[in-house]
Amino acid sequence: MPASSRFVVAVHLLTLLDRAGGAPVTSEYMAGSVNTNPGFVRRLLSALARAGLTTGRLGPHGGATLARPADQIRLVEVYRGVEPGDLFALHRAPPNPACPVGRNIQAALSSVLRRAEGALESELAEITLADVSHRVNARARRHPERRTS
């Protein structure tokens, strides 16, 4: 089962928007930063807009902006906005009910998985987009771009 990068890319996009200071940022620019295609960026921006985290403006000076200040955006909102469904899934097909493990595994795991996902969401609720943006800025100051002549 492949891991999803939607959450990480969404935080990347929102951090770009925060650093833009309210100026609209195009999906093409964001795609270049993430090193992906603009269509993927636009799909994520749509999900973030539905979650109330971004706004968009069309036209030659258009682009995306944050819908509210970065210190008012919690990472749990980003996670819920772009990651559909539960973090964990039980078997796609029901396990064999004639097997003692197959008959009981889903019930045994369900509460464990709910607690694990709750722990993740609780941790993400403690961190704001501003926190991430500050960390990026601090790292950028410590590790400035290397220029070649």
Side-chain angles (χ1 to χ4, degrees):
M1 170 170 51
S4 169
S5 64
R6 285 184 300 268
F7 170 70
V8 172
V9 173
V11 173
H12 183 143
L13 300 177
L14 293 170
T15 303
L16 282 170
L17 296 179
D18 181 46
R19 288 181 57 115
V25 181
T26 66
S27 57
E28 288 78 14
Y29 179 86
M30 288 187 263
S33 178
V34 175
N35 200 21
T36 191
N37 70 66
F40 178 65
V41 168
R42 284 190 286 275
R43 285 190 299 278
L44 276 179
L45 288 172
S46 291
L48 292 167
R50 284 191 301 276
L53 304 176
T54 62
T55 58
R57 191 167 64 200
L58 299 175
H61 301 289
T65 58
L66 291 178
R68 52 186 205 263
D71 63 353
Q72 295 177 17
I73 296 174
R74 301 245 163 227
L75 294 189
V76 70
E77 296 175 90
V78 181
Y79 173 74
R80 289 176 181 158
V82 299
E83 292 294 349
D86 296 327
L87 178 61
F88 300 104
L90 295 175
H91 301 71
R92 291 186 191 273
N96 182 351
C99 170
V101 173
R103 182 173 51 250
N104 296 295
I105 190 69
Q106 291 190 0
L109 278 178
S110 290
S111 66
V112 172
L113 298 179
R114 279 194 305 276
R115 285 195 333 263
E117 188 162 359
L120 170 68
E121 289 191 3
S122 291
E123 186 66 24
L124 293 177
E126 296 295 319
I127 304 165
T128 67
L129 179 61
D131 296 330
V132 174
S133 199
H134 293 311
R135 290 174 186 169
V136 168
N137 291 339
R139 287 193 57 79
R141 283 190 298 276
R142 284 194 314 269
H143 305 286
E145 177 183 346
R146 289 190 170 93
R147 299 187 192 280
T148 58
S149 322

